[in-house]
Amino acid sequence: MSEAKTPGTDAGSAAGALTEEQISDAALAVLDAGGRRALSVGAVAQRLAVDAAAVRARVGNSDGLERAVIERVLSSVALGPLTDDGVEWTAAVVQFALSVRGRLFDHPAVPELIMSGPMDSPSADGPAAREMTESLFVCLARGGLPAPIRAHGVYAVIVYVLGSVALDVAETDGKPPLPGESERIATRRAALHDLDPTRWPRTAAHLEEIAAWTSVDQFVWGLRVLLVGMTAT
């Protein structure tokens, strides 16, 4: 009769077999299903059917796990247009921003992970984020913006994109797939139904536009205004 193995005795070999891609995929699945509170080394290990020590050997603690998730999502953002001389620079930033928005909408708990720490925290500033920042600098340089404006502009774009996505996600249950744009707009419109026009007349005069604040048109409009403002500074 073979000797039974105790839990954790194969943690080393299991860690060797695991890849960060497998871990980040499992972590994204846990995050998508239960949100940030559900994400833990133990939950990921359970999903992978391995000992938690095997996961820790690859990514370390929960901070490392969050970083792996963020890296996986941000590394799938399309950066090509930012450095392509054939794409007009403001159009390139819009394409990039829409790619970020789409990937974060696919995994709506990830924006909270990114924004839960400072911009230079390990979880928010890994290699993928560095590549994103570098590509934005290249793009704004292609647009002829002076160096100080580029520095302020890159940060402004990142804050605008992440902030807009986070606000949009906050109006949902945060689990994919998110409701479609028309449904999100209808939900906002319904929430504004009882607004008192005698108390807030200017707001009441723009209910339709406010209901559409979660739309892609609003997202692109705001981004274009930001980019035009950079050229006028």
Side-chain angles (χ1 to χ4, degrees):
M1 180 180 296
S2 61
E3 182 179 352
K5 297 179 179 179
T6 58
T9 55
D10 287 338
S13 59
L18 279 178
T19 65
E20 285 199 20
E21 184 178 73
Q22 289 174 312
I23 293 172
S24 59
D25 281 347
L28 275 175
V30 170
L31 195 65
D32 288 343
R36 186 182 183 186
R37 291 183 179 181
L39 183 62
S40 67
V41 171
V44 172
Q46 183 176 19
R47 186 172 185 88
L48 291 169
V50 298
D51 192 279
V55 176
R56 290 193 187 93
R58 276 290 180 187
V59 298
N61 58 15
S62 58
D63 288 341
L65 186 62
E66 291 184 1
R67 177 171 182 164
V69 170
I70 293 171
E71 279 289 301
R72 186 63 188 278
V73 173
L74 293 187
S75 65
S76 66
V77 171
L79 301 179
L82 294 175
T83 57
D84 186 345
D85 290 337
V87 182
E88 191 271 332
W89 77 276
T90 61
V93 174
V94 171
Q95 291 179 38
F96 154 78
L98 289 173
S99 180
V100 174
R101 188 175 189 260
R103 294 303 292 130
L104 294 181
F105 272 20
D106 289 341
H107 303 287
V110 173
E112 182 184 355
L113 296 184
I114 296 174
M115 299 186 73
S116 62
M119 291 295 291
D120 59 351
S121 67
S123 62
D125 203 20
R130 289 288 189 187
E131 287 295 330
M132 183 181 297
T133 300
E134 181 71 13
S135 297
L136 279 169
F137 272 115
V138 171
C139 185
L140 270 57
R142 288 200 299 110
L145 299 182
I149 302 301
R150 294 199 298 267
H152 295 304
V154 167
Y155 183 73
V157 168
I158 292 172
V159 169
Y160 175 82
V161 173
L162 294 181
S164 295
V165 172
L167 287 173
D168 287 345
V169 168
E171 296 188 4
T172 73
D173 65 3
K175 295 181 180 180
L178 294 182
E181 181 174 297
S182 60
E183 184 178 346
R184 296 199 310 275
I185 292 174
T187 299
R188 286 183 58 82
R189 185 184 295 113
L192 295 165
H193 179 72
D194 294 330
L195 186 140
D196 184 354
T198 61
R199 184 175 181 182
W200 296 291
R202 295 184 183 275
T203 302
H206 296 283
L207 291 186
E208 283 303 310
E209 293 91 338
I210 294 172
W213 278 353
T214 188
S215 69
V216 67
D217 287 344
Q218 171 67 49
F219 178 78
V220 172
W221 184 90
L223 182 59
R224 288 196 181 280
V225 169
L226 176 62
L227 297 175
V228 169
M230 292 180 198
T231 65
T233 302

